[in-house]
Amino acid sequence: MVNVGGRSKGYEEQPTCLRCRKSGLECDGPKKAITFIVGKVVQSRRSTKVVGSKDSDADVSSCHSHIHIPRAALLSSSEFEVYICFALKHLRRGGTIELTTRTIKNTDIVPARAPATIHHGHISHQAILSFAAIFFGTQHRQAEITRMGFALYGMVLQRLNEALSDPVYNTNDDLIYAVVTLGILELFVSTGAGNHLKHMAGLERLFALRDHSVLISYESAEMYRSLRLMIIFAALRSRRASILARPEWKRQLRAHIDSSDELEKQELFDVLADCTVVISARDRILGDSHVSPELIVDGLEKLKQDALSLLAQLSSWRKRWDSDEKHHPTETPLSDAQLNQKQTDYEEALLPFATTLEYPSEAIAITTMLYNISLIYVLQILALLTSPPAEYTPYESPPATPPLQPPLASDGNILRDPPNFPNIWSSPHPPLSTTNNQKQQQQPNPYIAAQRTPIIDICRSISYHLSSPQRATSSVLHWGTATAWIKVGGEDSVVGRWVWKVLVERKSVLVKTLGILAE
């Protein structure tokens, strides 16, 4: 994974490294130079098993100075074109990978026939070839093609190691496109838990190497804007402050924007970037055992005011947005079959909505969903900053000054409610034996209850996005669906089951990627 300034730990045994010994590969021992990218490629569990020698080409590490591709796995340019076309069917037209494929030359699509030239040309092109081969091979259970793709993947990691240590080349856009491609690959064929987030963290470090004192080109501004969602989503998931929350980056992301609608969208990204700062600061305050309780309370109160300011920004944004009638959606009634889902609970729980949403344009639908995502995150932050911890709820009276919520586990998703938060999706009605006092204690935090409307609006808009192949590839749709999926508890709720049924019926790629996006 991209790790600027970091290195691989636990693999520097002499005279050869542990990774190579385990893989049965030749190794000259650890190098003294800093390793910028570390990673172990593992065969996808969805691919077919390959019966062969212990020296599998699907196990590639950045410590290999030379990677041999078996002659039987050599692929022609026409074959790679097939794999690229197949991959592009599942990617957004005009997205980072699709735009990069337009610059690939025929000489880039014959890497195996001339191993000596594999270290020349764009790294991002080789990353795309690797992505295309791995994706095609795993989807069609073609083990040899998958192995070939992973071998190319290892070459890409090796080239990235070399390029990132070069102060002249490490600010080249080619590296950013290569890392983005590897990050997207992780959503389809994971090579390890959390690797997608690690790639995105590395991408931010590449951004940090850029000089902000000079005006950026239109092309660079468009590239930054195409990547902002991936970076902010990963930062929110990892609960670390994003570089895109810094004033200089907010200015860069506004460069060369001549559309009021695009500026409206950037405001929402600014709010989400600011959310990463509040989340990171909250975890840091609650995780510092040397800070006095008074300072903790003061620090968290300041964060609460920051979050309330973000909520006010969103309220103002929504009023401006709704004042233009062209932004208003229309409602389409659900069929009786869609309304009456088969229940798995003891209670009868009908869908909390009877219509889906249709929008005048895809751009309006995407911006509206981005607003709903932003609102959910801000409300979740406020809920965590205003609720007592689990040991005082739901049936015990909290103290006069309740302790604040402890920080989440290091790998916890900020959207997942603590155990003491009442589940407003799986159990909409309290048990009949519940006393009035217990009913009162079970009432959700008002900021949790306020999330219900944006969550339902996201779910109601999924059908609209999936009705078009182009709209179905929107990264905002994928992020919004994952956000709603987490909040409703997945298939444990009637809403989650309805969403899953829609994804399966429309044969959405989210059926494959939702588990990783919502982890």
Side-chain angles (χ1 to χ4, degrees):
M1 302 330 102
V2 177
N3 185 13
V4 179
R7 62 178 183 175
S8 181
K9 297 181 179 179
Y11 295 95
E12 298 186 351
E13 294 84 354
Q14 294 286 357
T16 60
C17 74
L18 179 59
R19 283 187 176 181
C20 288
R21 291 206 303 272
K22 282 186 173 181
S23 302
L25 299 170
E26 295 182 4
C27 177
D28 298 328
K31 306 290 189 298
K32 294 296 183 183
I34 294 177
T35 300
F36 287 91
I37 301 177
V38 296
K40 182 175 182 181
V41 182
V42 295
Q43 187 176 3
S44 169
R45 285 176 287 184
R46 292 192 292 269
S47 63
T48 307
K49 282 190 175 182
V50 180
V51 180
S53 65
K54 193 175 181 180
D55 302 337
S56 171
D57 292 291
D59 192 356
V60 185
S61 170
S62 60
C63 65
H64 310 332
S65 57
H66 299 283
I67 301 175
H68 171 68
I69 302 178
R71 185 169 298 276
L74 302 187
L75 300 173
S76 67
S77 60
S78 59
E79 288 175 295
F80 264 113
E81 288 172 358
V82 171
Y83 308 150
I84 290 174
C85 289
F86 177 77
L88 291 179
K89 287 175 56 180
H90 300 274
L91 299 172
R92 185 167 183 78
R93 185 171 180 80
T96 304
I97 292 182
E98 194 269 338
L99 291 176
T100 307
T101 60
R102 300 180 189 180
T103 63
I104 295 180
K105 302 175 182 178
N106 288 337
T107 54
D108 295 322
I109 311 183
V110 201
R113 289 186 176 177
T117 65
I118 191 67
H119 296 287
H120 299 285
H122 293 286
I123 302 175
S124 59
H125 292 178
Q126 301 298 340
I128 289 173
L129 299 181
S130 168
F131 171 88
I134 293 173
F135 184 60
F136 185 93
T138 54
Q139 294 298 304
H140 293 85
R141 296 188 174 275
Q142 297 293 316
E144 198 65 34
I145 296 173
T146 304
R147 294 177 62 195
M148 177 64 179
F150 276 123
L152 291 176
Y153 182 98
M155 292 180 181
V156 173
L157 291 182
Q158 179 180 324
R159 292 193 64 197
L160 277 172
N161 275 326
E162 298 167 356
L164 286 169
S165 59
D166 181 352
V168 176
Y169 197 74
N170 61 19
T171 57
N172 193 296
D173 290 350
D174 182 40
L175 295 188
I176 288 180
Y177 291 132
V179 174
V180 170
T181 301
L182 298 184
I184 294 176
L185 170 63
E186 292 296 330
L187 298 177
F188 292 96
V189 185
S190 177
T191 63
N195 284 351
H196 170 74
L197 299 178
K198 294 174 184 177
H199 280 307
M200 293 302 101
L203 186 60
E204 285 207 57
R205 296 188 182 102
L206 290 178
F207 273 32
L209 298 175
R210 301 296 177 105
D211 183 4
H212 305 292
S213 62
V214 296
L215 293 176
I216 61 173
S217 65
Y218 174 83
E219 291 74 19
S220 293
E222 284 295 291
M223 178 188 69
Y224 293 149
R225 284 192 283 271
S226 71
L227 302 177
R228 59 192 168 183
L229 185 142
M230 295 177 64
I231 289 176
I232 293 175
F233 177 82
L236 287 166
R237 175 62 185 84
S238 304
R239 303 202 320 279
R240 54 177 174 76
S242 172
I243 192 174
L244 300 188
R246 299 177 185 177
E248 62 270 23
W249 273 103
K250 290 181 178 179
R251 288 194 300 271
Q252 295 275 40
L253 291 170
R254 281 172 165 74
H256 303 286
I257 290 181
D258 55 6
S259 164
S260 59
D261 285 350
E262 190 60 37
L263 283 173
E264 297 267 17
K265 187 187 297 184
Q266 181 55 44
E267 285 187 38
L268 297 175
F269 279 111
D270 287 347
V271 169
L272 286 165
D274 290 338
C275 284
T276 69
V277 176
V278 176
I279 293 168
S280 175
R282 173 185 176 273
D283 285 355
R284 185 172 61 253
I285 291 171
L286 293 177
D288 191 345
S289 58
H290 301 293
V291 178
S292 66
E294 293 78 11
L295 290 177
I296 290 177
V297 171
D298 289 344
L300 293 176
E301 179 60 30
K302 180 181 181 303
L303 292 181
K304 179 183 175 182
Q305 296 306 314
D306 292 341
L308 287 172
S309 176
L310 294 178
L311 186 61
Q313 290 181 43
L314 288 176
S315 176
S316 175
W317 185 97
R318 188 61 193 252
K319 287 179 181 178
R320 295 197 312 271
W321 182 258
D322 287 344
S323 66
D324 191 336
E325 291 188 359
K326 74 177 183 181
H327 297 149
H328 295 179
T330 57
E331 300 190 21
T332 301
L334 291 170
S335 65
D336 292 339
Q338 290 174 308
L339 284 170
N340 296 302
Q341 295 280 346
K342 182 180 179 181
Q343 301 306 313
T344 58
D345 331 311
Y346 291 107
E347 303 172 345
E348 287 189 8
L350 297 177
L351 275 175
F353 52 90
T355 61
T356 57
L357 298 176
E358 301 287 328
Y359 293 88
S361 70
E362 181 188 11
I364 292 173
I366 287 176
T367 304
T368 303
M369 181 172 285
L370 192 62
Y371 162 79
N372 285 322
I373 295 171
S374 304
L375 182 57
I376 291 169
Y377 270 96
V378 172
L379 291 172
Q380 183 73 5
I381 291 171
L382 284 166
L384 292 173
L385 288 170
T386 58
S387 298
E391 54 265 30
Y392 295 100
T393 55
Y395 302 125
E396 296 179 13
S397 298
T401 305
L404 294 150
Q405 287 285 342
L408 297 171
S410 59
D411 60 347
N413 193 312
I414 192 71
L415 290 178
R416 297 196 184 280
D417 296 336
N420 58 298
F421 279 23
N423 189 326
I424 64 174
W425 300 99
S426 293
S427 301
H429 307 291
L432 295 177
S433 59
T434 303
T435 66
N436 290 333
N437 183 54
Q438 289 172 338
K439 289 180 182 178
Q440 185 177 2
Q441 292 293 338
Q442 282 187 329
Q443 292 302 311
N445 179 294
Y447 294 115
I448 292 293
Q451 295 177 33
R452 186 177 179 86
T453 297
I455 291 170
I456 288 178
D457 282 351
I458 288 176
C459 296
R460 295 169 70 201
S461 67
I462 290 176
S463 294
Y464 167 81
H465 287 275
L466 295 182
S467 63
S468 160
Q470 171 67 2
R471 294 199 296 261
T473 60
S474 166
S475 53
V476 175
L477 165 67
H478 291 202
W479 186 8
T481 304
T483 300
W485 183 258
I486 293 171
K487 295 304 301 180
V488 303
E491 290 188 275
D492 289 339
S493 70
V494 62
V495 176
R497 291 191 292 274
W498 182 85
V499 167
W500 185 254
K501 181 181 178 182
V502 172
L503 296 179
V504 172
E505 288 178 348
R506 301 297 180 90
K507 298 180 180 179
S508 169
V509 71
L510 275 163
V511 172
K512 300 182 179 69
T513 61
L514 188 58
I516 296 176
L517 289 171
E519 65 181 2

